[in-house]
Amino acid sequence: MRRQHDDDPDARIRRAWVTVHARGATGEGLGAGVVVADGFLLTCAHVVNAALGRHKLAVAEPTAQDMLQVAVSFPGLGGEHHAVELAGWLAPRPEEQKWWYGDLALLKVEPGPSGICPVPVRETPGRRLSTWYAHGAPRSLVDVYVQADMGPWYILDPGYAPLRIQPGHSGAPLWDRERGCVTGLVVSTEPDNPRSYAIRASEMVKLLAATGVLPAVATEVSDPRTRARRGELVDALEGLSDRKLERCADRVGRALGLSWTPVTRADLVDSALRHPRGIPALLSTLTAHEGVARRVRDAAAKLGPLRLLTQDEYDELVALLGDAAYPEVRAAARRAVPHFALPDAGPPDLGALIEDLEDRAGEPGVVPPVIQVVEEVAAARREGGDVLRDWSHRVINRLGVSPEAVRQCRWSAESRARARTSQPVLRVWLWAEEPTAESLRYLLRLYDAHGHQVRTWTGGDTLRSRADLCADLSEAVDDLDQYEESAGVEFLLEEGFFRLAVDRLPTQAGALGTRPVGLDRVVVLRGQSVQRAGALKKRWEHGRGSGVGPYVLHDVPAENGTLSSRHEIACVVACCPPDQHDDALALCRYLGVPVVLWHRSAHGPDTAEELRAVVPDDWPHGLREEVRRRRAEALYDAARTGAHLALLWEDPSWEPPRQRLANPTRRKGGAA
């Protein structure tokens, strides 16, 4: 939320600017400072040391007599010098000639000139900041960019202004003009290097708290529109009892990192308005009070674009994405919200990009653009996508986004990700005369990582033998194995033939003779047509979340109702009697269950336990490979479970190409 306190966004910092002098000296001063509370200002301890004529890294706290040698002036309000007292001291502690700890001094000045305006001190997500030379002259403005955090420090790199930070900047405040607050003090600059350092606002606030000084919190509200909205927000909070208001204020204060807790409704509103993420923080405490939350949301919306994320949500997202994620997030934004033009100017700033996406409001009921981009990044990542989706889930629940809209957003993101990251795959269509599959028709197609058809093997419309199929299959998997990675082999079968042991089909392996096709590569079954594609997609999306395990089906008639009512079931272990396998698979495919695992010849409690042991906790990513491993272990022992495993894997992100024999009819022979 962009707020201006005056026509000049720097007016407040000019009235709070301080220059530190040696008593009786003339000139521009030895350093700067900033008024942070009524009668109190902060500067660097080494600036005070310089005014006392001591070594800049002197640790001893100056005495009251020493402080008689120090004076300050307020350049924005006149050049008169004023005496000061020491109210707090955090000594600079050098380490390898650099100041890594401390270096703050809290000074008390009274009386000061009229017109002094303390400014708030807090950390913000802003990275492009402003500062001035120690005397604060308007023409000495310097742009800086916060490159990184380092303990209590910010590492600063030059911005776009021709002026650079110089040694005379010490104590100068870092001003976030968009949010109207000081977020640090300039401490040092490296010789012969444009890089500089500043002490963070959190360290400044700690010193204020330790000395019992309350930082400035008052915000000037000059325009009538903002005053009216502020009044509406205060009125909205009248719906909270005093006890609930106290709890809400405490949570908001902790969420915003305040060193004090708002007491009144007006204090709470002012605290929320001053912080760029204050309104989301306030709304997050009102989830149990929908009527109040609605009034707050409506009033705040009239102020202009609002941040969607609370500070904790924003910080967590930045951490999950990582420091080097700017190109990744920008690319995801181009894919997920291509109708939004993203600016190309400026350095790669992840925080600014996230805020830019937050500013782009979507239509009611539509997933906000920033969430769309997070889902896009989550879908594209091979690792870490689940934690991003968990973050997204928590945020959209707080925002009240339609679950159906979220499902569609996630489905679109994952579909695009699969299109970019698909692996070579061999797909085999089989139409058998009988379940024994001794006479059959077949079609083999090899696809590369881009989904392009590379080569085709076909038996035509003539019935062929198993030996003919195995010969072509051997040649096809040999071509498939030329790729470094592949998705394996998918057999597309008609209903009634899913019990075929296609994973045991022998293929030539050179000097080793023959080996089952499912021994060295993943082999799964699919149907030749997709029934109820919408249900399939919904179950696939629901069931692939973290912590969703398989459902064991023991008896088809008894458990038909359960599968029909529980739409989150996406993985079924079919442990029913073998004569019910066809019915179980027909039911699962009709209801859109995408994954079914079964034993071709055994059932019962013991078999159920064995099959459950095959399904890993992270089954969407590990089940196919686990089945392949079990098949390999059973190479010479047909009594082992792996020799009889069948896996139906209806990944809804892929549909067979609409070419000849791709979607056969049910008539005998199956030719389209």
Side-chain angles (χ1 to χ4, degrees):
M1 177 169 37
R2 293 175 171 81
R3 295 168 52 83
Q4 290 186 340
H5 305 283
D6 291 274
D7 292 337
D8 177 5
D10 301 325
R12 293 193 69 192
I13 192 63
R14 297 190 199 288
R15 292 197 296 270
W17 193 277
V18 176
T19 299
V20 181
H21 309 265
R23 189 71 174 270
T26 60
E28 294 183 342
L30 301 169
V34 62
V35 178
V36 294
D38 290 335
F40 291 91
L41 63 96
L42 276 172
T43 185
C44 291
H46 81 268
V47 171
V48 174
N49 282 334
L52 295 175
R54 306 196 303 182
H55 188 278
K56 65 181 181 181
L57 298 182
V59 174
E61 182 174 326
T63 65
Q65 188 67 27
D66 292 333
M67 294 304 297
L68 296 176
Q69 305 176 45
V70 183
V72 298
S73 65
F74 302 88
L77 302 171
E80 183 182 355
H81 286 204
H82 300 266
V84 292
E85 300 175 8
L86 185 66
W89 181 257
L90 196 58
R93 299 189 179 278
E95 180 178 306
E96 297 180 358
Q97 304 304 315
K98 296 178 182 178
W99 304 338
W100 296 108
Y101 301 100
D103 206 10
L104 281 176
L106 179 64
L107 306 182
K108 182 179 181 182
V109 56
E110 59 181 3
S114 61
I116 293 178
C117 178
V119 289
V121 178
R122 61 174 176 267
E123 293 187 5
T124 73
R127 293 287 173 173
R128 297 184 181 91
L129 306 171
S130 302
T131 189
W132 291 261
Y133 282 117
H135 51 76
R139 294 179 63 84
S140 67
L141 174 67
V142 177
D143 293 342
V144 293
Y145 176 74
V146 178
Q147 183 66 32
D149 304 340
M150 187 179 64
W153 309 104
Y154 288 130
I155 300 176
L156 307 176
D157 279 357
Y160 299 102
L163 299 176
R164 284 172 36 189
I165 288 178
Q166 302 294 338
H169 271 86
S170 293
L174 291 181
W175 177 243
D176 187 334
R177 57 165 43 126
E178 180 182 6
R179 298 164 180 84
C181 65
V182 168
T183 191
L185 283 187
V186 176
V187 173
S188 67
T189 185
E190 294 184 13
D192 304 319
N193 190 328
R195 177 165 290 174
S196 305
Y197 299 88
I199 194 165
R200 297 172 61 157
S202 57
E203 300 299 311
M204 301 164 65
V205 172
K206 286 179 185 177
L207 180 59
L208 293 175
T211 55
V213 175
L214 292 178
V217 295
T219 300
E220 296 177 3
V221 180
S222 58
D223 62 288
R225 178 171 173 268
T226 303
R227 286 199 301 270
R229 299 295 84 78
R230 177 183 179 276
E232 290 180 22
L233 290 169
V234 173
D235 291 342
L237 294 182
E238 292 292 339
L240 297 178
S241 66
D242 290 343
R243 183 174 181 181
K244 291 177 180 178
L245 175 69
E246 182 179 349
R247 293 174 59 186
C248 179
D250 179 65
R251 291 175 59 190
V252 170
R254 285 186 279 110
L256 301 183
L258 302 179
S259 59
W260 62 291
T261 300
V263 178
T264 67
R265 289 170 176 80
D267 287 341
L268 181 55
V269 168
D270 288 340
S271 299
L273 290 176
R274 278 191 296 272
H275 196 284
R277 302 190 180 278
I279 294 298
L282 177 59
L283 288 170
S284 71
T285 68
L286 298 174
T287 52
H289 310 284
E290 179 55 33
V292 177
R294 187 184 307 111
R295 292 183 63 189
V296 169
R297 192 180 298 113
D298 291 344
K302 299 174 185 177
L303 290 168
L306 297 175
R307 294 282 182 258
L308 289 178
L309 309 179
T310 67
Q311 190 65 49
D312 287 343
E313 290 167 348
Y314 173 87
D315 292 340
E316 183 182 2
L317 176 59
V318 171
L320 291 175
L321 291 172
D323 294 336
Y326 178 85
E328 177 187 21
V329 176
R330 188 175 179 84
R334 291 184 183 279
R335 294 191 299 267
V337 283
H339 53 288
F340 288 147
L342 297 172
D344 293 319
D349 186 338
L350 177 62
L353 179 56
I354 293 174
E355 290 181 357
D356 190 42
L357 290 166
E358 283 184 271
D359 285 342
R360 302 172 186 274
E363 296 296 324
V366 176
V367 180
V370 67
I371 304 298
Q372 293 183 41
V373 174
V374 170
E375 290 289 348
E376 193 78 19
V377 174
R381 287 189 172 183
R382 290 193 175 185
E383 296 181 359
D386 286 343
V387 293
L388 280 172
R389 276 185 286 268
D390 288 341
W391 176 93
S392 172
H393 180 72
R394 284 184 272 115
V395 174
I396 59 182
N397 277 349
R398 179 179 66 78
L399 296 176
V401 180
S402 161
E404 183 59 35
V406 175
R407 279 196 295 271
Q408 183 60 46
C409 167
R410 189 166 291 179
W411 169 254
S412 299
E414 293 194 349
S415 297
R416 286 190 291 268
R418 291 191 190 98
R420 294 189 306 273
T421 61
S422 59
Q423 295 177 317
V425 64
L426 177 66
R427 295 187 171 111
V428 182
W429 283 261
L430 286 182
W431 301 277
E433 282 290 288
E434 300 293 341
T436 56
E438 292 301 328
S439 299
L440 40 79
R441 294 178 176 84
Y442 60 83
L443 168 66
L444 290 74
R445 289 183 180 142
L446 178 64
Y447 297 87
D448 63 14
H450 304 289
H452 299 146
Q453 186 174 316
V454 177
R455 192 176 174 188
T456 301
W457 296 260
T458 180
D461 294 333
T462 305
L463 286 171
R464 308 291 294 274
S465 67
R466 284 169 56 93
D468 292 334
L469 169 64
C470 292
D472 283 343
L473 184 61
S474 297
E475 186 176 344
V477 297
D478 188 57
D479 280 10
L480 176 69
D481 292 342
Q482 301 304 310
Y483 294 99
E484 183 177 349
E485 293 185 18
S486 78
V489 184
E490 296 180 344
F491 282 86
L492 287 91
L493 306 174
E494 289 184 313
E495 289 186 21
F497 292 87
F498 288 117
R499 286 176 290 167
L500 295 177
V502 291
D503 55 281
R504 309 290 286 181
L505 288 173
T507 55
Q508 293 296 323
L512 297 179
T514 60
R515 291 166 69 84
V517 65
L519 180 64
D520 303 310
R521 56 197 65 81
V522 169
V523 170
V524 297
L525 307 180
R526 302 187 64 145
Q528 290 185 3
S529 61
V530 177
Q531 299 183 28
R532 303 184 70 183
L536 187 74
K537 292 178 181 179
K538 288 181 180 179
R539 286 186 184 265
W540 182 265
E541 171 61 31
H542 277 301
R544 294 176 72 242
S546 58
V548 180
Y551 177 77
V552 179
L553 186 152
H554 292 281
D555 182 77
V556 174
E559 298 181 82
N560 186 340
T562 301
L563 285 177
S564 299
S565 60
R566 292 183 55 186
H567 301 294
E568 78 278 8
I569 296 175
C571 177
V572 165
V573 172
C575 199
C576 52
D579 60 2
Q580 291 187 16
H581 280 165
D582 288 346
D583 293 338
L585 290 166
L587 175 65
C588 288
R589 299 198 72 238
Y590 176 77
L591 295 175
V593 177
V595 177
V596 184
L597 175 72
W598 71 97
H599 190 291
R600 282 188 285 263
S601 59
H603 70 289
D606 292 340
T607 302
E609 289 301 317
E610 291 180 8
L611 293 178
R612 282 294 301 269
V614 174
V615 183
D617 292 336
D618 187 21
W619 64 263
H621 300 96
L623 177 56
R624 293 184 300 175
E625 178 57 31
E626 180 63 21
V627 169
R628 187 207 65 79
R629 189 179 68 81
R630 297 292 183 120
R631 287 167 174 166
E633 291 176 350
L635 176 60
Y636 301 111
D637 186 0
R640 303 188 71 163
T641 301
H644 307 279
L645 289 178
L647 178 62
L648 182 74
W649 191 270
E650 296 275 19
D651 183 345
S653 67
W654 176 82
E655 295 181 0
R658 295 184 177 277
Q659 299 180 19
R660 183 173 179 267
L661 299 181
N663 295 280
T665 63
R666 289 179 176 273
R667 67 182 178 83
K668 188 176 181 179

